[in-house]
Amino acid sequence: MALAKDTGFLLRKIPFSETSFILKAFTREHGLVSLMAKGAKRPSSRYRGVLEPILHLQFLFPAFSRSEIRILGEVSLLKDFPGLRDNPVKQGLARVFAELLLRYPPSESDAAQFHDLLLQAQETLEKSPPDRSGLQAQLTFFLLSYFNISGFQPQFKTCVRCGGVLSGGNIPFLIDQGGPLCAGCNRDEASVYFLRENIVRWLDAIQTGGDTPELSRTDMWRAEEFLLRYLGRHAGGERSLKSLSVWHALMEGD
């Protein structure tokens, strides 16, 4: 039997029997895969301490399988992230990154780029201070990078219809077309989402790597709400993210 050796992250661990788990892993070459970790619950299991979220792992499993669930052969640790494990708020955001790939799994052809995005996101998060604005900006950058890789990246600079200059305190954004509207082109379409001008500038600065202006917590969450709606519209429908509500609670309690 041909075996595949692939790097990736454990996104979800589901109890299956008295001794085993079903794993949802995102790998660099195969994308999202389901793996059976037989005997992983046993105290003597060779998997103990390794099958944990956040860790960067190397998996060994059958390259081809008639079943959707493949049998996990081996797993080994490639990189630990103690700075995430030891900080609940940063760990909470890492789990949001993971759940985004679980709820909106990319195509296998794009798997390598998304694997690298997740690895880069965790490496950045590991080194960064746990301040609210910085963490919110990291989630925003992750979502915008997801859009870019997937081929539906928005733009925030000019009117999506005429290329004109944006103006006004509240700027209408056409989610279906991926861009804002100037005052002259706004015709009250059903899919318009209004964003304050400072939020639009903030999103553009994060996407282009410019200097980000100051943004209130309320405006950051408004930007987050918009990005998740945009993701749902372009990636198959809005889906609830349990880890996001947990992360919000951690941020409030910090």
PDB file of all heavy atoms in Angstrom, residues 49-71:
ATOM      1  N   GLY A  49      -0.053  13.217  23.412  1.00  0.00           N
ATOM      2  CA  GLY A  49       0.706  14.455  23.479  1.00  0.00           C
ATOM      3  C   GLY A  49       1.004  15.098  22.137  1.00  0.00           C
ATOM      4  O   GLY A  49       1.512  16.222  22.078  1.00  0.00           O
ATOM      5  N   VAL A  50       0.689  14.389  21.045  1.00  0.00           N
ATOM      6  CA  VAL A  50       0.979  14.926  19.708  1.00  0.00           C
ATOM      7  C   VAL A  50      -0.291  15.343  18.989  1.00  0.00           C
ATOM      8  O   VAL A  50      -0.284  16.326  18.238  1.00  0.00           O
ATOM      9  CB  VAL A  50       1.760  13.885  18.863  1.00  0.00           C
ATOM     10  CG1 VAL A  50       2.113  14.460  17.496  1.00  0.00           C
ATOM     11  CG2 VAL A  50       3.020  13.438  19.585  1.00  0.00           C
ATOM     12  N   LEU A  51      -1.367  14.630  19.198  1.00  0.00           N
ATOM     13  CA  LEU A  51      -2.615  14.930  18.500  1.00  0.00           C
ATOM     14  C   LEU A  51      -3.344  16.082  19.183  1.00  0.00           C
ATOM     15  O   LEU A  51      -4.396  15.917  19.801  1.00  0.00           O
ATOM     16  CB  LEU A  51      -3.500  13.683  18.447  1.00  0.00           C
ATOM     17  CG  LEU A  51      -2.943  12.518  17.633  1.00  0.00           C
ATOM     18  CD1 LEU A  51      -3.911  11.346  17.660  1.00  0.00           C
ATOM     19  CD2 LEU A  51      -2.634  12.937  16.199  1.00  0.00           C
ATOM     20  N   GLU A  52      -2.757  17.248  19.064  1.00  0.00           N
ATOM     21  CA  GLU A  52      -3.313  18.453  19.669  1.00  0.00           C
ATOM     22  C   GLU A  52      -3.372  19.569  18.630  1.00  0.00           C
ATOM     23  O   GLU A  52      -2.533  19.624  17.727  1.00  0.00           O
ATOM     24  CB  GLU A  52      -2.463  18.907  20.862  1.00  0.00           C
ATOM     25  CG  GLU A  52      -2.362  17.879  21.992  1.00  0.00           C
ATOM     26  CD  GLU A  52      -3.703  17.562  22.632  1.00  0.00           C
ATOM     27  OE1 GLU A  52      -4.605  18.425  22.567  1.00  0.00           O
ATOM     28  OE2 GLU A  52      -3.844  16.449  23.185  1.00  0.00           O
ATOM     29  N   PRO A  53      -4.383  20.451  18.732  1.00  0.00           N
ATOM     30  CA  PRO A  53      -4.441  21.586  17.803  1.00  0.00           C
ATOM     31  C   PRO A  53      -3.257  22.514  18.015  1.00  0.00           C
ATOM     32  O   PRO A  53      -2.570  22.443  19.026  1.00  0.00           O
ATOM     33  CB  PRO A  53      -5.767  22.267  18.176  1.00  0.00           C
ATOM     34  CG  PRO A  53      -6.017  21.851  19.586  1.00  0.00           C
ATOM     35  CD  PRO A  53      -5.468  20.469  19.721  1.00  0.00           C
ATOM     36  N   ILE A  54      -3.010  23.347  17.044  1.00  0.00           N
ATOM     37  CA  ILE A  54      -1.955  24.366  17.032  1.00  0.00           C
ATOM     38  C   ILE A  54      -0.609  23.789  16.593  1.00  0.00           C
ATOM     39  O   ILE A  54       0.142  24.428  15.867  1.00  0.00           O
ATOM     40  CB  ILE A  54      -1.807  25.082  18.397  1.00  0.00           C
ATOM     41  CG1 ILE A  54      -3.098  25.818  18.751  1.00  0.00           C
ATOM     42  CG2 ILE A  54      -0.651  26.079  18.370  1.00  0.00           C
ATOM     43  CD1 ILE A  54      -3.109  26.392  20.144  1.00  0.00           C
ATOM     44  N   LEU A  55      -0.289  22.557  16.986  1.00  0.00           N
ATOM     45  CA  LEU A  55       0.998  21.973  16.627  1.00  0.00           C
ATOM     46  C   LEU A  55       1.115  21.774  15.119  1.00  0.00           C
ATOM     47  O   LEU A  55       0.149  21.418  14.444  1.00  0.00           O
ATOM     48  CB  LEU A  55       1.168  20.617  17.322  1.00  0.00           C
ATOM     49  CG  LEU A  55       1.064  20.587  18.851  1.00  0.00           C
ATOM     50  CD1 LEU A  55       1.213  19.158  19.347  1.00  0.00           C
ATOM     51  CD2 LEU A  55       2.091  21.504  19.482  1.00  0.00           C
ATOM     52  N   HIS A  56       2.320  21.988  14.602  1.00  0.00           N
ATOM     53  CA  HIS A  56       2.592  21.685  13.198  1.00  0.00           C
ATOM     54  C   HIS A  56       3.121  20.255  13.144  1.00  0.00           C
ATOM     55  O   HIS A  56       4.133  19.931  13.781  1.00  0.00           O
ATOM     56  CB  HIS A  56       3.636  22.658  12.630  1.00  0.00           C
ATOM     57  CG  HIS A  56       3.792  22.557  11.148  1.00  0.00           C
ATOM     58  ND1 HIS A  56       4.984  22.788  10.508  1.00  0.00           N
ATOM     59  CD2 HIS A  56       2.904  22.241  10.168  1.00  0.00           C
ATOM     60  CE1 HIS A  56       4.826  22.650   9.211  1.00  0.00           C
ATOM     61  NE2 HIS A  56       3.572  22.318   8.978  1.00  0.00           N
ATOM     62  N   LEU A  57       2.429  19.397  12.398  1.00  0.00           N
ATOM     63  CA  LEU A  57       2.665  17.964  12.449  1.00  0.00           C
ATOM     64  C   LEU A  57       3.021  17.385  11.084  1.00  0.00           C
ATOM     65  O   LEU A  57       2.773  18.004  10.049  1.00  0.00           O
ATOM     66  CB  LEU A  57       1.414  17.252  12.977  1.00  0.00           C
ATOM     67  CG  LEU A  57       0.895  17.702  14.348  1.00  0.00           C
ATOM     68  CD1 LEU A  57      -0.476  17.097  14.616  1.00  0.00           C
ATOM     69  CD2 LEU A  57       1.882  17.334  15.441  1.00  0.00           C
ATOM     70  N   GLN A  58       3.586  16.202  11.131  1.00  0.00           N
ATOM     71  CA  GLN A  58       3.790  15.406   9.919  1.00  0.00           C
ATOM     72  C   GLN A  58       2.982  14.116  10.057  1.00  0.00           C
ATOM     73  O   GLN A  58       3.117  13.390  11.038  1.00  0.00           O
ATOM     74  CB  GLN A  58       5.261  15.066   9.714  1.00  0.00           C
ATOM     75  CG  GLN A  58       5.513  14.276   8.426  1.00  0.00           C
ATOM     76  CD  GLN A  58       6.986  14.187   8.112  1.00  0.00           C
ATOM     77  OE1 GLN A  58       7.554  15.059   7.450  1.00  0.00           O
ATOM     78  NE2 GLN A  58       7.631  13.142   8.601  1.00  0.00           N
ATOM     79  N   PHE A  59       2.121  13.868   9.055  1.00  0.00           N
ATOM     80  CA  PHE A  59       1.234  12.712   9.079  1.00  0.00           C
ATOM     81  C   PHE A  59       1.687  11.674   8.050  1.00  0.00           C
ATOM     82  O   PHE A  59       2.178  12.032   6.977  1.00  0.00           O
ATOM     83  CB  PHE A  59      -0.201  13.127   8.738  1.00  0.00           C
ATOM     84  CG  PHE A  59      -0.799  14.147   9.661  1.00  0.00           C
ATOM     85  CD1 PHE A  59      -0.734  15.505   9.364  1.00  0.00           C
ATOM     86  CD2 PHE A  59      -1.440  13.757  10.825  1.00  0.00           C
ATOM     87  CE1 PHE A  59      -1.300  16.450  10.207  1.00  0.00           C
ATOM     88  CE2 PHE A  59      -2.005  14.707  11.673  1.00  0.00           C
ATOM     89  CZ  PHE A  59      -1.943  16.043  11.362  1.00  0.00           C
ATOM     90  N   LEU A  60       1.458  10.412   8.380  1.00  0.00           N
ATOM     91  CA  LEU A  60       1.674   9.301   7.447  1.00  0.00           C
ATOM     92  C   LEU A  60       0.358   8.549   7.341  1.00  0.00           C
ATOM     93  O   LEU A  60      -0.188   8.082   8.355  1.00  0.00           O
ATOM     94  CB  LEU A  60       2.792   8.381   7.953  1.00  0.00           C
ATOM     95  CG  LEU A  60       3.243   7.266   6.992  1.00  0.00           C
ATOM     96  CD1 LEU A  60       3.967   7.858   5.788  1.00  0.00           C
ATOM     97  CD2 LEU A  60       4.146   6.268   7.717  1.00  0.00           C
ATOM     98  N   PHE A  61      -0.167   8.424   6.125  1.00  0.00           N
ATOM     99  CA  PHE A  61      -1.452   7.764   5.921  1.00  0.00           C
ATOM    100  C   PHE A  61      -1.512   7.211   4.499  1.00  0.00           C
ATOM    101  O   PHE A  61      -0.685   7.587   3.639  1.00  0.00           O
ATOM    102  CB  PHE A  61      -2.612   8.740   6.165  1.00  0.00           C
ATOM    103  CG  PHE A  61      -2.513  10.034   5.388  1.00  0.00           C
ATOM    104  CD1 PHE A  61      -2.957  10.134   4.082  1.00  0.00           C
ATOM    105  CD2 PHE A  61      -1.970  11.174   5.984  1.00  0.00           C
ATOM    106  CE1 PHE A  61      -2.876  11.323   3.372  1.00  0.00           C
ATOM    107  CE2 PHE A  61      -1.877  12.373   5.280  1.00  0.00           C
ATOM    108  CZ  PHE A  61      -2.335  12.444   3.979  1.00  0.00           C
ATOM    109  N   PRO A  62      -2.460   6.308   4.196  1.00  0.00           N
ATOM    110  CA  PRO A  62      -2.564   5.755   2.849  1.00  0.00           C
ATOM    111  C   PRO A  62      -2.778   6.842   1.799  1.00  0.00           C
ATOM    112  O   PRO A  62      -3.607   7.731   1.977  1.00  0.00           O
ATOM    113  CB  PRO A  62      -3.769   4.811   2.931  1.00  0.00           C
ATOM    114  CG  PRO A  62      -3.876   4.461   4.370  1.00  0.00           C
ATOM    115  CD  PRO A  62      -3.436   5.689   5.125  1.00  0.00           C
ATOM    116  N   ALA A  63      -2.025   6.757   0.720  1.00  0.00           N
ATOM    117  CA  ALA A  63      -2.162   7.746  -0.341  1.00  0.00           C
ATOM    118  C   ALA A  63      -3.529   7.656  -1.017  1.00  0.00           C
ATOM    119  O   ALA A  63      -4.089   8.658  -1.462  1.00  0.00           O
ATOM    120  CB  ALA A  63      -1.050   7.567  -1.366  1.00  0.00           C
ATOM    121  N   PHE A  64      -4.076   6.438  -1.068  1.00  0.00           N
ATOM    122  CA  PHE A  64      -5.384   6.211  -1.683  1.00  0.00           C
ATOM    123  C   PHE A  64      -6.213   5.333  -0.753  1.00  0.00           C
ATOM    124  O   PHE A  64      -5.686   4.442  -0.083  1.00  0.00           O
ATOM    125  CB  PHE A  64      -5.246   5.543  -3.049  1.00  0.00           C
ATOM    126  CG  PHE A  64      -4.361   6.303  -4.008  1.00  0.00           C
ATOM    127  CD1 PHE A  64      -3.040   5.942  -4.174  1.00  0.00           C
ATOM    128  CD2 PHE A  64      -4.854   7.384  -4.716  1.00  0.00           C
ATOM    129  CE1 PHE A  64      -2.218   6.648  -5.042  1.00  0.00           C
ATOM    130  CE2 PHE A  64      -4.036   8.095  -5.579  1.00  0.00           C
ATOM    131  CZ  PHE A  64      -2.710   7.729  -5.748  1.00  0.00           C
ATOM    132  N   SER A  65      -7.510   5.600  -0.712  1.00  0.00           N
ATOM    133  CA  SER A  65      -8.386   4.817   0.157  1.00  0.00           C
ATOM    134  C   SER A  65      -9.785   4.793  -0.436  1.00  0.00           C
ATOM    135  O   SER A  65     -10.261   5.787  -0.980  1.00  0.00           O
ATOM    136  CB  SER A  65      -8.423   5.430   1.565  1.00  0.00           C
ATOM    137  OG  SER A  65      -9.353   4.765   2.377  1.00  0.00           O
ATOM    138  N   ARG A  66     -10.454   3.633  -0.342  1.00  0.00           N
ATOM    139  CA  ARG A  66     -11.834   3.534  -0.801  1.00  0.00           C
ATOM    140  C   ARG A  66     -12.779   4.251   0.156  1.00  0.00           C
ATOM    141  O   ARG A  66     -13.864   4.674  -0.236  1.00  0.00           O
ATOM    142  CB  ARG A  66     -12.232   2.059  -0.925  1.00  0.00           C
ATOM    143  CG  ARG A  66     -11.489   1.311  -2.025  1.00  0.00           C
ATOM    144  CD  ARG A  66     -11.960  -0.136  -2.101  1.00  0.00           C
ATOM    145  NE  ARG A  66     -11.244  -0.871  -3.128  1.00  0.00           N
ATOM    146  CZ  ARG A  66     -11.438  -2.165  -3.402  1.00  0.00           C
ATOM    147  NH1 ARG A  66     -12.336  -2.849  -2.695  1.00  0.00           N
ATOM    148  NH2 ARG A  66     -10.749  -2.764  -4.351  1.00  0.00           N
ATOM    149  N   SER A  67     -12.352   4.347   1.390  1.00  0.00           N
ATOM    150  CA  SER A  67     -13.162   5.015   2.394  1.00  0.00           C
ATOM    151  C   SER A  67     -12.772   6.482   2.496  1.00  0.00           C
ATOM    152  O   SER A  67     -11.639   6.873   2.217  1.00  0.00           O
ATOM    153  CB  SER A  67     -12.969   4.336   3.756  1.00  0.00           C
ATOM    154  OG  SER A  67     -13.579   5.082   4.785  1.00  0.00           O
ATOM    155  N   GLU A  68     -13.733   7.313   2.933  1.00  0.00           N
ATOM    156  CA  GLU A  68     -13.438   8.728   3.153  1.00  0.00           C
ATOM    157  C   GLU A  68     -12.455   8.896   4.308  1.00  0.00           C
ATOM    158  O   GLU A  68     -11.696   9.859   4.342  1.00  0.00           O
ATOM    159  CB  GLU A  68     -14.741   9.477   3.455  1.00  0.00           C
ATOM    160  CG  GLU A  68     -14.556  10.966   3.709  1.00  0.00           C
ATOM    161  CD  GLU A  68     -15.845  11.659   4.102  1.00  0.00           C
ATOM    162  OE1 GLU A  68     -16.927  11.081   3.898  1.00  0.00           O
ATOM    163  OE2 GLU A  68     -15.766  12.783   4.624  1.00  0.00           O
ATOM    164  N   ILE A  69     -12.489   7.946   5.240  1.00  0.00           N
ATOM    165  CA  ILE A  69     -11.619   8.013   6.421  1.00  0.00           C
ATOM    166  C   ILE A  69     -10.421   7.092   6.225  1.00  0.00           C
ATOM    167  O   ILE A  69     -10.581   5.886   6.039  1.00  0.00           O
ATOM    168  CB  ILE A  69     -12.386   7.614   7.700  1.00  0.00           C
ATOM    169  CG1 ILE A  69     -13.591   8.528   7.889  1.00  0.00           C
ATOM    170  CG2 ILE A  69     -11.470   7.673   8.919  1.00  0.00           C
ATOM    171  CD1 ILE A  69     -14.487   8.134   9.050  1.00  0.00           C
ATOM    172  N   ARG A  70      -9.238   7.651   6.258  1.00  0.00           N
ATOM    173  CA  ARG A  70      -8.015   6.864   6.114  1.00  0.00           C
ATOM    174  C   ARG A  70      -7.440   6.540   7.496  1.00  0.00           C
ATOM    175  O   ARG A  70      -7.683   7.254   8.463  1.00  0.00           O
ATOM    176  CB  ARG A  70      -6.976   7.647   5.292  1.00  0.00           C
ATOM    177  CG  ARG A  70      -7.552   8.284   4.036  1.00  0.00           C
ATOM    178  CD  ARG A  70      -6.485   8.945   3.207  1.00  0.00           C
ATOM    179  NE  ARG A  70      -7.052   9.939   2.299  1.00  0.00           N
ATOM    180  CZ  ARG A  70      -6.453  10.389   1.215  1.00  0.00           C
ATOM    181  NH1 ARG A  70      -5.244   9.961   0.891  1.00  0.00           N
ATOM    182  NH2 ARG A  70      -7.024  11.297   0.444  1.00  0.00           N
ATOM    183  N   ILE A  71      -6.688   5.456   7.547  1.00  0.00           N
ATOM    184  CA  ILE A  71      -6.095   5.034   8.813  1.00  0.00           C
ATOM    185  C   ILE A  71      -4.763   5.766   9.008  1.00  0.00           C
ATOM    186  O   ILE A  71      -3.876   5.697   8.152  1.00  0.00           O
ATOM    187  CB  ILE A  71      -5.864   3.512   8.852  1.00  0.00           C
ATOM    188  CG1 ILE A  71      -7.185   2.766   8.597  1.00  0.00           C
ATOM    189  CG2 ILE A  71      -5.268   3.101  10.190  1.00  0.00           C
ATOM    190  CD1 ILE A  71      -8.265   3.064   9.603  1.00  0.00           C
TER     191      ILE A  71
END
